[in-house]
Amino acid sequence: MKNLLTSLLDLFYPHTCDGCGTDLTRTEKVLCLRCLRRLPITGYQHQQHNPVEKIFWGRVNIRHAMSAYYYRKSSLLQQLIYQFKYKQREDIATHLGQQMGNILLQSRWLYEINCIIPVPIHPTKLQQRGYNQAALLANGIATVTGKPVIEKILFRSNYSPSQTNKGRLLRWQNVSGVFSIERTNQLKDQHILLVDDVLTTGATLEACSSLLINAGATVSICTLAFAHH
């Protein structure tokens, strides 16, 4: 009976891969195994002093940093990010967060992490979108790693326009003073994994990290994608 119901559901609501459109198997979600393998993994979870860590050298004292995948224009990953940021596909963000969790499990330093904090978005944008995509990624990571997600500590207090076409200096000016922090007593001696979707110049992550470090925390960073130049 259960199999019949599942088959009927599949008939009326076909479960297809968001990458290539083929039918997904019972064990696959969002992407088929072939498309999942198409995502360009950085391998930075194994690499100390990797290019993501180097972005923050001399700017803010980050313990570890990595991105799961390379971000390339017109790629499958860009399409997926667009879907979860602008097309209400929360399931894609959660699934990619789980993939980030699987990649983080391969690192030598995950055991150091006490909790996960997603980069916040402004309440206006949260209302428009209905969710914070960084929080969905963080929750995906949490389901795999068992590390708790803590929200309502880091806040985006100023609404700033999209940073997509801004250079590094403009991005930094755009986020300087944008974030605020509360319940700082909970952060002392905690090693936090700060999570975001795409790393470009690192201005947003630098601003958030500085606040967390000033509150007595140690910060490591993990993003879904690295838009390297």
Side-chain angles (χ1 to χ4, degrees), residues 18-19 31 35 38-40 69-87 89 92-93 96 133 164-165 171 197-198 200 224-227:
D18 279 283
L31 294 173
C35 283
R38 273 173 59 201
L39 299 179
Y69 303 103
Y70 291 114
Y71 181 89
R72 293 173 184 140
K73 285 189 176 176
S74 307
S75 66
L76 170 59
L77 186 60
Q78 186 190 30
Q79 291 166 33
L80 294 170
I81 291 169
Y82 180 82
Q83 288 292 320
F84 72 64
K85 282 182 89 162
Y86 304 110
K87 297 292 181 184
R89 290 295 305 275
I92 292 178
L96 290 174
Q133 73 276 5
T164 308
N165 297 312
R171 279 174 182 255
D197 50 7
V198 182
T200 307
L224 171 65
F226 176 39

Side-chain angles (χ1 to χ4, degrees), residues 93-94 97-98 100-101 104 110 113-120 132-154 183 186-187 190-196 212 222:
T94 303
Q98 289 166 348
M100 290 166 75
L104 276 162
L110 182 66
I113 301 296
N114 300 114
C115 60
I116 305 168
I117 293 182
V119 167
N132 173 6
Q133 73 276 5
L136 294 176
L137 292 171
N139 287 321
I141 293 170
T143 59
V144 174
T145 64
K147 305 288 182 181
V149 177
I150 299 178
E151 293 190 75
K152 297 187 168 54
I153 279 189
L154 204 53
R183 291 163 38 209
Q186 290 188 23
L187 297 171
Q190 293 293 296
H191 190 158
I192 290 156
L193 183 68
L194 188 62
V195 169
D196 205 2
L212 294 168
C222 182

Side-chain angles (χ1 to χ4, degrees), residues 13-185:
Y13 303 99
H15 196 35
T16 56
C17 171
D18 279 283
C20 64
T22 59
D23 288 340
L24 294 176
T25 66
R26 292 270 181 272
T27 55
E28 293 170 337
K29 287 179 184 175
V30 177
L31 294 173
C32 67
L33 202 55
R34 205 158 103 195
C35 283
L36 197 58
R37 285 178 180 152
R38 273 173 59 201
L39 299 179
I41 293 178
T42 63
Y44 292 164
Q45 70 273 21
H46 303 299
Q47 194 180 334
Q48 204 178 1
H49 308 325
N50 64 61
V52 172
E53 286 188 5
K54 287 178 181 177
I55 279 182
F56 299 99
W57 285 4
R59 292 167 65 180
V60 64
N61 188 19
I62 299 299
R63 181 66 62 88
H64 309 284
M66 60 159 283
S67 297
Y69 303 103
Y70 291 114
Y71 181 89
R72 293 173 184 140
K73 285 189 176 176
S74 307
S75 66
L76 170 59
L77 186 60
Q78 186 190 30
Q79 291 166 33
L80 294 170
I81 291 169
Y82 180 82
Q83 288 292 320
F84 72 64
K85 282 182 89 162
Y86 304 110
K87 297 292 181 184
Q88 304 294 306
R89 290 295 305 275
E90 296 176 56
D91 58 321
I92 292 178
T94 303
H95 182 66
L96 290 174
Q98 289 166 348
Q99 301 311 314
M100 290 166 75
N102 289 327
I103 290 168
L104 276 162
L105 286 175
Q106 300 167 23
S107 73
R108 292 178 183 172
W109 49 267
L110 182 66
Y111 73 93
E112 299 172 24
I113 301 296
N114 300 114
C115 60
I116 305 168
I117 293 182
V119 167
I121 59 174
H122 190 270
T124 305
K125 197 173 270 187
L126 186 61
Q127 203 171 11
Q128 288 167 355
R129 190 172 287 162
Y131 54 87
N132 173 6
Q133 73 276 5
L136 294 176
L137 292 171
N139 287 321
I141 293 170
T143 59
V144 174
T145 64
K147 305 288 182 181
V149 177
I150 299 178
E151 293 190 75
K152 297 187 168 54
I153 279 189
L154 204 53
F155 295 89
R156 190 165 195 136
S157 39
N158 292 2
Y159 187 82
S160 58
S162 170
Q163 305 231 80
T164 308
N165 297 312
K166 290 184 172 67
R168 180 171 158 179
L169 182 62
L170 276 173
R171 279 174 182 255
W172 170 246
Q173 289 167 345
N174 212 30
V175 297
S176 185
V178 160
F179 298 96
S180 59
I181 197 165
E182 290 180 14
R183 291 163 38 209
T184 53
N185 57 319

